[in-house]
Amino acid sequence: MALVRNFSRQSNRKVRRPRRARRGVILVFVLLFLALCSAILVRSHSMVTRSMVQAARAEKEMQIRWAKISIRGSLLMNSDAMLDASPVVKSQTNPANNGLILATKSRLAASQIKLALSGQRYLAILEDENAKLPLNRLLASKPYEAWRSEIRNLIASNLSMRQKLVSKNLERWGDFFQAPIDSNQSFDTADDLIDATKHITLFTNNLVNYRSASPKILNALWRIHFRREAPECIHAMRKYQPPFNIAQYCRGYGLSDAESTFAGEIFSDSCQCCSLTIIHKHAGTSLDVSRFYRRTKEGYADDHFGDPGW
């Protein structure tokens, strides 16, 4: 009997686990649980941080968008006043030229404004598109090969003009300039396109505003059509208060019927289409460029340079 009891006690000792081993298992489970909680917290924090960054970016984009809308609305609708220069002479009659009245104000071809909205800085460039050479009118009157080199001399840009034009009614700059090979060149393309279009346009009623067109534009216009520099009387027209009969004015200075008729048909005394280029530089090197057009009776037309498909 004593032998059976001793054997039973020995068996019980073998089955029972040490207390330290049980504590070790519990510790492992606790550590695993803490590691799992830490992983969940890290992931949650990462998701919250990502959401905050996305929300901040969306808010900034919204601010930029509404800033452009505000700039566009205020500047385009007041373009006439902003392109009027300060008075240059007192209004008086010039008896030497059929009693024409000297203009009291000159007109600007472009005006630049620096703006700061919601902590962001913008450069707004307002331009009289009628102060530029209308390419579609040139295409309608002369072969492209006849004036291509003249336009090439006018533009200062890395963009290349197309060798041949597929249409006589150009609607986008991609119809006139060769698109960049690398679609990632939108930064350079926007900058180059701004420079390239300072003296040429596609978005007018094909008239030239003699009050704001530069001597360079007037000379190019006359070289293309009459193979000579614009006469002095053409450059002097800006001095007189409109309206007056341009064709009669030109004949009075001895210009031919062809030149006088051409001047009467192509020249205007007002800005009937203007463009607004808004440049927003952010993050040090990134450039965001948008251009908007406003025609007198046709509302807005948008052209975003950042699109590689221009």
Side-chain angles (χ1 to χ4, degrees), residues 123-127 194 275-279 289-292 305:
L123 175 63
I125 305 173
L126 188 66
E127 294 178 284
I194 291 173
S275 66
L276 175 64
T277 304
I278 302 175
I279 303 174
V289 180
S290 299
R291 176 171 280 189
F292 307 97
F305 287 155

Side-chain angles (χ1 to χ4, degrees), residues 18 36 59 65 71 92 101 131 133 155-156 168 177 200 206 211 256 267 280 285 301 305:
L36 180 62
E59 181 181 3
R65 181 181 174 220
I71 295 172
Q92 54 182 310
I101 299 175
L133 282 178
I155 60 178
K168 289 190 176 182
F177 292 108
I200 57 177
N206 290 330
R211 298 177 64 202
S256 66
F267 285 129
H280 172 234
T285 57
F305 287 155

Side-chain angles (χ1 to χ4, degrees), residues 11-170:
S11 299
N12 290 337
R13 288 192 188 123
K14 289 181 181 180
V15 174
R16 190 178 300 169
R17 291 183 179 180
R19 185 175 296 177
R20 288 184 179 178
R22 292 197 300 271
R23 289 178 179 176
V25 172
I26 295 173
L27 181 60
V28 169
F29 278 108
V30 170
L31 292 176
L32 288 174
F33 177 75
L34 291 176
L36 180 62
C37 291
S38 299
I40 293 174
L41 288 174
V42 170
R43 182 173 178 81
S44 300
H45 182 268
S46 176
M47 293 175 63
V48 170
T49 303
R50 191 181 302 113
S51 299
M52 292 176 64
V53 170
Q54 292 175 350
R57 186 183 297 117
E59 181 181 3
K60 184 177 180 180
E61 291 175 353
M62 183 64 69
Q63 289 177 346
I64 294 173
R65 181 181 174 220
W66 281 106
K68 288 182 180 180
I69 292 174
S70 299
I71 295 172
R72 182 181 68 175
S74 60
L75 296 188
L76 279 182
M77 298 306 294
N78 296 285
S79 57
D80 281 342
M82 298 194 64
L83 291 174
D84 261 331
S86 57
V88 289
V89 293
K90 292 182 179 180
S91 178
Q92 54 182 310
T93 301
N94 181 12
N97 195 46
N98 299 323
L100 289 178
I101 299 175
L102 294 177
T104 58
K105 288 186 178 182
S106 60
R107 291 287 292 180
L108 298 174
S111 179
Q112 293 190 11
I113 307 102
K114 293 182 178 180
L115 300 165
L117 295 173
S118 301
Q120 303 292 322
R121 296 187 178 276
Y122 303 87
L123 175 63
I125 305 173
L126 188 66
E127 294 178 284
D128 180 355
E129 291 292 304
N130 288 101
K132 305 176 183 182
L133 282 178
L135 297 187
N136 281 319
R137 177 154 190 153
L138 297 183
L139 273 175
S141 59
K142 297 281 184 179
Y144 178 50
E145 294 74 16
W147 49 267
R148 184 176 183 274
S149 60
E150 188 70 45
I151 301 300
R152 179 71 265 179
N153 295 332
L154 270 181
I155 60 178
S157 170
N158 294 324
L159 295 179
S160 300
M161 296 165 54
R162 292 187 179 276
Q163 293 295 328
K164 293 184 178 180
L165 302 180
V166 297
S167 172
K168 289 190 176 182
N169 184 25
L170 306 176

